[in-house]
Amino acid sequence: YYMNTGISLLLISMLPFLFLCCVKSEKETDELQIKKTVDEFYQNLNSRDFTAIKTISTPRMEKFIDFIAAIGEDLVVYNKHEIVLIDIKANNAEVILRAEDSFGNIMDFKWDLIKVEQRWLLDMFTGEKETDVLTEDDIEFTKRKIEEDND
């Protein structure tokens, strides 16, 4: 009797740890999927594969993709991008990203993603205006990317 009670108490005391492990694992999986979706956007944008972009987009975002597809080869190319923050709330995620285009301009973007049938899809994004004055963050970002390129 005492042995069964001890084992039961041990199992019950471990439940919170098991739950936390599962929650953390799901968050890590979601973050990896979100990063993959955002990376695919920039790869496909640079190669002008708008059909591929639509496969990772919601219908609302597809309308925007149709608009930028009409611009075609005149679209800017992004040489580098780095996710600064991923904030997940249930089936919605907000991603803050810093990107550098082929002209050396650094811009921040806010992406909204929605989880649909276990897939993270791009829903909408906004770009922040370019800053005339380089911040310390801009300088560090550029230094890191130059070092990475030289490796």
Side-chain angles (χ1 to χ4, degrees):
Y1 173 77
Y2 291 112
M3 185 178 222
N4 287 340
T5 304
I7 292 172
S8 297
L9 288 174
L10 178 65
L11 289 175
I12 289 172
S13 67
M14 293 187 66
L15 283 177
F17 296 108
L18 292 173
F19 177 75
L20 288 176
C21 291
C22 293
V23 169
K24 183 176 181 183
S25 176
E26 183 179 344
K27 182 180 180 200
E28 288 172 354
T29 301
D30 283 341
E31 286 179 356
L32 286 172
Q33 289 177 354
I34 289 166
K35 182 182 181 326
K36 182 178 180 251
T37 300
V38 172
D39 288 345
E40 282 181 37
F41 170 83
Y42 284 96
Q43 291 167 0
N44 293 319
L45 179 68
N46 287 343
S47 66
R48 309 303 190 240
D49 189 347
F50 303 108
T51 304
I53 294 174
K54 286 183 176 184
T55 66
I56 56 171
S57 301
T58 64
R60 181 165 87 160
M61 184 67 176
E62 286 181 20
K63 291 176 186 175
F64 177 74
I65 300 306
D66 289 336
F67 170 75
I68 64 171
I71 298 170
E73 293 302 316
D74 291 331
L75 280 171
V76 70
V77 171
Y78 288 94
N79 294 334
K80 301 171 184 146
H81 65 274
E82 177 182 354
I83 293 176
V84 177
L85 174 74
I86 298 176
D87 184 24
I88 302 170
K89 292 186 176 110
N91 290 331
N92 295 292
E94 181 178 287
V95 175
I96 305 298
L97 176 131
R98 178 160 290 171
E100 180 182 341
D101 68 22
S102 56
F103 301 106
N105 300 311
I106 296 173
M107 291 190 65
D108 292 339
F109 294 95
K110 181 179 85 83
W111 284 96
D112 294 320
L113 289 88
I114 296 175
K115 191 173 189 178
V116 179
E117 297 177 8
Q118 302 305 310
R119 290 184 58 224
W120 284 98
L121 302 177
L122 300 169
D123 187 47
M124 194 47 62
F125 81 101
T126 55
E128 300 299 322
K129 281 209 267 182
E130 185 180 350
T131 331
D132 292 333
V133 179
L134 287 176
T135 66
E136 288 297 318
D137 286 343
D138 294 333
I139 294 167
E140 287 303 313
F141 172 82
T142 304
K143 283 181 186 175
R144 271 197 322 274
K145 291 302 176 186
I146 289 171
E147 289 171 3
E148 289 173 12
D149 290 347
N150 291 334
D151 288 346

